[in-house]
Amino acid sequence: MSVAVLFALLGLVVFAAASSDLTEAAVRAIWRRSDPRALVIAFAMMTTGLCFLALRWRAMMTERDGVAVLPLTGLLVVGTLLNYALPGPVGEFAAAALAGRRFGIRPEMAFAAGIHARFIGLALAGACSAVLFATTDMPVPDGIHGWIGVATLAIGGGAVALGVLSAYPAVLREGSARTIGRIPPLRGLHASVERLAASLQAVGRLGPRRYAWGALWAICGHSAVVGGIAVAAVGLGAHPDPAGLAFTYTVSTAGAIVLFAFPGSQLGWDAMFASLLVATAGLSLPDALAITLLVRVHQLFTVLLGGVVLLRAASERTDDTGALIG
């Protein structure tokens, strides 16, 4: 049994035992029927999904020469780490800056590509959840309807704003010139905003073929994670309805944009994910909580991996500085 799976199972016991709705017998039953081999495969599949997200990011870059997928995946998890701790797109800014230094590309271009790639993934998740909602008769809780509506508005509004800025970069340039451009200490930031405007325009003009590749990698990433969650469920002895499981994941993924500006709001995401597993995938509460915990353990693993990559990047920068000084 791997260390990660052992900690996941131990965490499951603690988490489940802490819930007043769960009995000791239910916790013991989950423990007895757990298959560590399936959980290892599930973790591997969900981690592979990160590589597909890096490929999605790379597909939207105007400068791709020398951009390797595995190092880019490492920078992606750094962004995940920072998004857990700080509000807004801080993680995207940091990942783009590291990509610029690592691959010798413009950070503004990397950031523009990352934002376009993220909205491709959100749009596909939202579209998939809408199709499942319209074509199946799964029992969706009433509260989820409002959540779907808010998420749809957020994704749609963000996509429209991104499209406008990409099609009309002068809006961003003029807005920056009239604000931070008039403050002498911030003129360097104004120059960066101008480069970002040009990058957004360049990414927006990549054409349908490049966007199709971005969509393909997004679909592969979503599929890897959904498949990993399904394998994890089987590894815990649960048998979720496939449509309900896909709906749970896509709604939760699309709805994450609502939580984007609120660090520490993962608890609300967990509650929504678990409740949807019960309502739409037909799982018992103990099984839904167990699967939710395993998904959270994998996300925390991603965060820890991001910390390792960030520390290594900082160490390399220190070494480079020392070499220059020497």
Side-chain angles (χ1 to χ4, degrees):
M1 181 183 297
S2 71
V3 175
V5 173
L6 177 60
F7 274 110
L9 291 176
L10 290 176
L12 167 62
V13 173
V14 174
F15 182 73
S19 173
S20 59
D21 295 328
L22 300 181
T23 64
E24 181 180 353
V27 176
R28 290 179 181 274
I30 293 173
W31 181 272
R32 283 196 303 268
R33 66 177 188 250
S34 297
D35 184 354
R37 295 169 298 180
L39 300 182
V40 169
I41 295 173
F43 267 63
M45 291 177 67
M46 288 188 282
T47 303
T48 301
L50 297 173
C51 296
F52 287 123
L53 296 186
L55 284 166
R56 183 188 70 184
W57 185 12
R58 184 178 181 274
M60 302 313 299
M61 291 182 177
T62 58
E63 306 166 18
R64 298 188 298 169
D65 293 341
V67 179
V69 174
L70 288 181
L72 191 63
T73 304
L75 303 184
L76 190 70
V77 298
V78 170
T80 301
L81 165 66
L82 296 178
N83 281 337
Y84 262 72
L86 299 169
V90 175
E92 276 72 14
F93 281 125
L98 289 172
R101 186 164 65 87
R102 174 68 173 80
F103 302 113
I105 60 180
R106 289 173 295 136
E108 295 85 2
M109 184 278 298
F111 178 76
I115 293 298
H116 275 265
R118 179 176 288 276
F119 271 97
I120 288 174
L122 288 171
L124 286 172
C128 181
S129 63
V131 170
L132 289 170
F133 180 76
T135 59
T136 63
D137 57 353
M138 69 181 76
V140 179
D142 292 337
I144 298 299
H145 294 78
W147 180 265
I148 293 174
V150 172
T152 300
L153 288 175
I155 295 173
V160 169
L162 182 61
V164 169
L165 293 177
S166 299
Y168 305 100
V171 174
L172 187 57
R173 292 194 188 98
E174 292 176 4
S176 178
R178 293 177 180 179
T179 53
I180 61 177
R182 295 179 178 179
I183 305 174
L186 298 180
R187 284 176 182 168
L189 178 59
H190 170 60
S192 182
V193 172
E194 288 188 320
R195 291 193 295 270
L196 174 60
S199 297
L200 286 171
Q201 183 181 35
V203 174
R205 292 180 174 178
L206 285 174
R209 179 181 176 86
R210 192 73 72 83
Y211 274 85
W213 275 108
L216 174 62
W217 294 129
I219 291 171
C220 290
H222 291 324
S223 299
V225 177
V226 172
I229 295 173
V231 172
V234 173
L236 292 174
H239 300 283
D241 176 72
L245 181 61
F247 180 79
T248 297
Y249 168 78
T250 53
V251 167
S252 301
T253 298
I257 190 174
V258 181
L259 306 176
F260 189 56
F262 304 99
S265 56
Q266 288 80 18
L267 184 60
W269 188 95
D270 291 343
M272 178 180 65
F273 192 83
S275 64
L276 281 173
L277 286 175
V278 173
T280 66
L283 295 181
S284 65
L285 178 60
D287 288 339
L289 290 175
I291 294 169
T292 301
L293 179 64
L294 285 173
V295 172
R296 178 59 63 195
V297 167
H298 180 266
Q299 291 173 342
L300 293 177
F301 164 76
T302 303
V303 168
L304 292 175
L305 182 61
V308 172
V309 175
L310 186 60
L311 288 174
R312 181 177 178 181
S315 176
E316 290 176 350
R317 183 173 183 178
T318 301
D319 292 343
D320 292 344
T321 302
L324 289 173
I325 294 175

